[in-house]
């Protein structure tokens, strides 16, 4: 991780530590504390991927740089790839690279209308220029 990613991770780790200490002291957490705990744990995970997921004004991290691997893969004729991420923002980073490289792609996520989902799947399956299928958890259902 970069220094800034570590900083984001540590800030949220401290929140987690305070909430855990409170639980140890009182053996009880309010619903608000539980939500803060889950949010801080999620931000810790997100900061490991890219600072952009926690702070959209920044873009530090090596995960998005893994698009280089996609480039190498897509050099092979007829090759297609499905890329999953839990976070739509992570796809934002990789989609930008796909657009820059002019790799045909579709982006499938929970915000895509049900009526459009089949079209995205069909485009990926049938369009030889559509090489990448980016999907969040929504891609695993239906």
């Amino acid at each position: 991780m970069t220094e800034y990613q570590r900083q984001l991770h540590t800030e949220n780790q401290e929140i987690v530590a305070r909430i855990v200490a409170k639980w140890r002291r009182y053996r009880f957490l309010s619903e608000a504390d539980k939500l803060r705990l889950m949010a801080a744990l999620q931000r810790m995970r997100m900061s490991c991927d890219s600072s952009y997921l926690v702070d959209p004004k920044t873009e530090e991290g090596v995960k998005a740089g893994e698009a280089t691997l996609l480039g190498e893969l897509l050099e092979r004729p007829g090759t297609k790839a499905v890329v999953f991420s839990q976070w739509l923002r992570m796809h934002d980073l990789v989609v930008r690279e796909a657009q820059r490289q002019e790799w045909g792609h579709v982006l499938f996520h929970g915000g895509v209308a049900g009526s459009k989902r089949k079209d995205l799947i069909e485009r990926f399956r049938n369009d030889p220029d559509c090489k990448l299928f980016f999907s969040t958890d929504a891609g695993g259902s239906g």
Side-chain angles (χ1 to χ4, degrees), residues 55-66:
D55 178 5
K57 292 175 272 184
T58 66
E59 195 174 311
E60 293 186 24
V62 296
K63 281 273 189 166
E66 292 177 0

Side-chain angles (χ1 to χ4, degrees), residues 82-95:
V82 178
V83 180
F84 289 99
S85 178
Q86 181 176 357
W87 298 294
L88 186 56
R89 277 192 190 163
M90 195 66 200
H91 281 313
D92 290 345
L93 296 174
V94 186
V95 163

Side-chain angles (χ1 to χ4, degrees), residues 79-123:
T79 300
K80 294 185 176 226
V82 178
V83 180
F84 289 99
S85 178
Q86 181 176 357
W87 298 294
L88 186 56
R89 277 192 190 163
M90 195 66 200
H91 281 313
D92 290 345
L93 296 174
V94 186
V95 163
R96 274 191 255 158
E97 182 64 17
Q99 290 169 336
R100 193 176 73 73
Q101 297 288 342
E102 298 182 354
W103 297 328
H105 65 278
V106 294
L107 177 58
F108 191 95
H109 57 85
V112 173
S115 60
K116 302 280 185 190
R117 291 179 178 208
K118 185 177 178 184
D119 295 338
L120 293 177
I121 293 167
E122 290 303 314
R123 177 171 175 230

